[in-house]
Every structure is written in structure tokens, then in C-alpha cells.
Amino acid sequence: MGAFLFLLALCAGPAVAEVSGEPLAQLKRMESDPALSATALRLGAKVAAVCANCHGANGNSTKPDTPNLAGQNPRYLLEQMQKFADGRRRNEFMEGMIKAMKPDERASAVWFYAQQRVARRPAGDPARTARGKTYFEQVCFRCHGSDGHGNENFARLAGQQPAYVAQALRRYRDGGDRKRSDPLMATTTKGMTNADIDAVAAYVAELP
């Protein structure tokens, strides 16, 4: 069985229109068919058991630089898999793993993770969190929602690993990352200081 393991794109642009083929069709059926949904959850759990080595049990990572997958929108996750498969995101290991997956494995994996509850992280520095809240509510909410849950086009940030969020934001701001790029995020993060980035990362990690 193929495995599902990827570094979640945090702030990618529109996604659903680019997803095509059998996995999306199967996902749509899961959303409206309770019996198929139950079957998909069982298969998705088997795939997730392999992914747990990096992404943690039920999609809650124990590694600071590895993203949580729990609670993400399934169509958003499916598009990230497709990006690895077609080369829009580059990672030799991920590309090979995802290309080897069957359509039902891809669809079931994202469906499983979408049903899991992401673990909320307590505040470490209230002042920094407050600063992050202010910044998020002025800028980030436009795409990721006031609750940080995102949608099928933009990643859920609520409950995400703060170190991973900070790393991703710095890569967008600093450029030069050939593995992934996004003009919108490059523009949005251009004026962020390291303190801004760390504050936003701390704030979203606390969101339920």
C-alpha cells in the first residue's frame, strides 16, 4: 500500500480547480455517502498508520518541523498531494510515495485526516500571542478565516505546529525556495519581521 506523507503547504493559492481525476470524484462521493465514508475512514486509518512515523497519531505531529494534518480540509490536502505528484511541489521522497498511491488511498487518507481533531497548544508567551493575534486579524484572516480554519482553497492554520508555520513564513518572505512558491504569500510576508512571524505562529498554534 502506498503511504501518505507530505509537508503541508500552509498558504497556497486556489486549489480545488486544479484537482482532477479519480481521487476528487471519490472524495465527492464520500461527502454524500455515509457507507462509503465509513469504508474510506477504515482505509484512511491504515494509510495514516504509516504516516504516523512523521505526522503523528491521527495527524498530530510530535516533530516541530513536521505539520499536523488533522483537521485540514480534505480537498485542500488532496490538492497538495496532486502537487507532489505532478511536480508543482518538489520532494523526491514525497513524489515517489504519492505517485505510488492508488486513487482510493489518496482520497481515503485525506478524508481520514479531515475527521481528526487537531491538538491545541497552550500559550507560552501571552504578550507574543497577543501580538500575533493583532497581526493575524489585520492580514491573515482574509484567506485563512477569522478562526484560522481556512477552506478548500487555503490551509487551516489553527492548531498547526508553530515551528513549522514560522519556517514556512520565512521561506515565503525570503524567497529562493525552489521546492514551492506562491506569489500571494511572497507579497503578503514581504514586510514581516522575524518577531511578527514568531508571533503569528504562536497565535495560530493556540487556535482550536
Side-chain angles (χ1 to χ4, degrees):
M1 177 183 295
F4 170 61
L5 167 67
F6 62 93
L7 299 179
L8 179 67
L10 285 171
C11 307
V16 174
E18 297 179 352
V19 179
S20 61
E22 293 185 16
L24 179 58
Q26 292 191 30
L27 180 58
K28 289 179 178 178
R29 290 194 294 272
M30 292 170 191
E31 294 170 342
S32 60
D33 185 334
L36 183 59
S37 172
T39 299
L41 284 175
R42 290 193 292 271
L43 175 58
K46 292 180 180 179
V47 177
V50 178
C51 306
N53 290 325
C54 292
H55 291 283
N58 298 328
N60 283 290
S61 174
T62 59
K63 300 180 179 181
D65 59 350
T66 301
N68 296 327
L69 303 183
Q72 281 290 352
N73 184 283
R75 299 193 189 195
Y76 177 83
L77 291 182
L78 190 59
E79 173 62 7
Q80 302 315 306
M81 296 178 75
Q82 182 61 32
K83 286 183 176 181
F84 278 117
D86 64 24
R88 283 176 289 158
R89 293 194 65 185
R90 304 309 308 270
N91 180 286
E92 185 176 355
F93 176 74
M94 286 304 310
E95 292 170 40
M97 296 293 280
I98 290 176
K99 287 177 182 178
M101 292 178 69
K102 298 176 182 178
D104 62 335
E105 291 176 335
R106 293 189 190 186
S108 296
V110 301
W111 185 247
F112 171 81
Y113 280 123
Q115 312 308 313
Q116 308 308 305
R117 183 181 296 276
V118 68
R120 183 180 180 184
R121 295 181 177 275
D125 183 337
R128 182 176 60 180
T129 301
R131 174 175 177 167
K133 182 177 187 292
T134 298
Y135 193 98
F136 186 93
E137 292 179 345
Q138 291 175 344
V139 180
C140 312
F141 80 96
R142 294 185 178 91
C143 293
H144 297 282
S146 59
D147 57 4
H149 285 198
N151 52 47
E152 60 189 29
N153 295 324
F154 296 94
R156 173 185 175 132
L157 300 182
Q160 190 54 267
Q161 292 276 15
Y164 178 76
V165 174
Q167 174 181 269
L169 290 175
R170 286 188 174 89
R171 286 178 174 175
Y172 280 125
R173 180 195 65 184
D174 299 338
D177 188 350
R178 297 181 180 180
K179 295 182 179 180
R180 58 185 282 198
S181 63
D182 184 276
L184 176 60
M185 282 306 302
T187 299
T188 302
T189 57
K190 186 175 182 180
M192 295 185 78
T193 65
N194 285 336
D196 291 333
I197 288 175
D198 290 339
V200 168
Y203 172 65
V204 299
E206 291 185 11
L207 293 176

